[in-house]
Every structure is written in structure tokens, then in C-alpha cells.
Amino acid sequence: MNTVKINPTASVGFLVGIGAWSISFITLIWGYLFYRLRVGVWLADYISPAIFIKAFMNTGILLISSWIWHQFLQKKRVPLLILGVLSGLLFLKAQWDLWILFLQKGLTFTSSMAGSFLYLLTGFHALHVLIGLFILFPLGLKISQSTGDDSHESRFLFALRFWDLLMLFWLVLLILIFVLK
């Protein structure tokens, strides 16, 4: 088992940052639920079987990506680092394809409140996936080239916890948007 030495001050900073980010995300979800409960038909008219399947495929990609990042932290092999980045980029590409499917069905950012919230929530999530990749990749490179410096590993572990939180929030979005339509 690989243990990473964590700086307590960095832990507090990480928790404050993640807390602020989580509050932003929860506020957006609260707004979504507030409007969702006031409107009869929300997204059911737009979620076809193809869109439903694509959303679950995206979830699988993100789950695999998270597993790959955890494997990289344990084994510190460059191919795992590259696979982690590629799987994150694949999720973003699949998310883009999902947005295109919605656009083809006539759901735009301005067509309805449902469309506005769909693009806002999934776009907010996608932006943070991209940010996570920009943080994980350089730290992963430093770890793979490191000769025992724990500071990069602890930073990577914080970034990985952020990635895990992104996975959790995606699962919440999946349920709210695609399952509960």
C-alpha cells in the first residue's frame, strides 16, 4: 500500500476550496430543482433512447477514468497517465456529442429554462473536468519523473479527490437530468 504524506495546512486549504466549489454546484442543483418542480414537462420530450444511452456511456467513461487515475497513483506508470488524460478527453468529447444530440432535438440554451439548466450544469461540470485534467497531467508527469518527492504526490492526491468529487456530482446530474427526466 502506497501512503502519501499530507501537509495539514494544505489539507485545510483543499477542504476550503472543495467546500466553496461544492456550494456553487449545490446552489446550481438547488436552482435546477426549484424550477424543475414548478414546470410540468421538463426534459422528457428531449431525452430519446440514444441520448439516454449516451449519458450512461459518458458515466462509464468517467468511472473508468477515475479508476485509471487511482491506478496511476499506485503504480506511477506513464502509460496510465496518458490513459487517464485520454479517458478524460474522451468524456469531454462524448459530452460534446451529447450536447449536439440535444441541439438536434431543438433544445438550446435559450429555448427553455430546462435547456438553460441542462447546459449550465453539464457545462459547469465539463469545465471542471477540463480543469482537473490540466491539474492531474502535469502533476502526474512530475510524479512519474520524481525520485521520491512526496509534495507532488500529495498535490496529485488532492487533485484526485477533486476528480472523485466530479464523478460524484456527475452521478447526481445523471440521476436528476437523465433518470428522473
Side-chain angles (χ1 to χ4, degrees):
M1 172 99 182
N2 191 7
T3 59
V4 178
K5 192 173 166 184
I6 303 293
N7 178 337
T9 305
S11 295
V12 171
F14 173 75
L15 289 173
V16 168
I18 286 296
W21 181 81
S22 296
I23 288 169
S24 298
F25 194 81
I26 290 167
T27 301
L28 289 173
I29 288 177
W30 177 257
Y32 173 86
L33 290 171
F34 178 79
Y35 284 106
R36 171 65 183 96
L37 295 174
R38 290 176 167 238
V39 177
V41 176
W42 189 251
L43 288 170
D45 293 343
Y46 298 101
I47 299 179
S48 65
I51 288 175
F52 189 76
I53 290 168
K54 185 75 165 166
F56 274 89
M57 287 174 51
N58 288 7
T59 305
I61 293 168
L62 202 55
L63 281 168
I64 290 168
S65 176
S66 187
W67 179 80
I68 291 169
W69 286 117
H70 282 273
Q71 291 300 305
F72 171 77
L73 184 60
Q74 288 179 354
K75 298 178 182 171
K76 296 169 187 59
R77 301 199 192 282
V78 174
L80 288 170
L81 175 65
I82 293 168
L83 279 175
V85 171
L86 289 176
S87 60
L89 291 173
L90 181 61
F91 171 81
L92 292 173
K93 168 66 170 95
Q95 186 60 44
W96 179 264
D97 293 343
L98 191 59
W99 290 329
I100 296 298
L101 289 172
F102 276 117
L103 289 171
Q104 289 170 348
K105 290 225 165 240
L107 185 66
T108 67
F109 192 80
T110 58
S111 65
S112 68
M113 186 67 73
S116 296
F117 270 106
L118 172 95
Y119 291 108
L120 179 65
L121 288 169
T122 58
F124 187 72
H125 181 267
L127 172 67
H128 285 84
V129 167
L130 188 61
I131 290 168
L133 290 173
F134 278 119
I135 294 169
L136 286 166
F137 181 65
L139 287 173
L141 279 177
K142 289 178 182 177
I143 289 172
S144 67
Q145 299 166 351
S146 178
T147 58
D149 182 12
D150 281 346
S151 67
H152 297 306
E153 284 190 43
S154 65
R155 290 181 189 129
F156 187 89
L157 184 61
F158 287 137
L160 187 56
R161 294 297 174 245
F162 174 71
W163 192 265
D164 292 339
L165 192 59
L166 285 172
M167 182 68 236
L168 174 68
F169 283 137
W170 177 255
L171 291 173
V172 169
L173 290 178
L174 178 76
I175 292 167
L176 288 176
I177 295 171
F178 299 100
V179 175
L180 298 179
K181 303 182 213 184

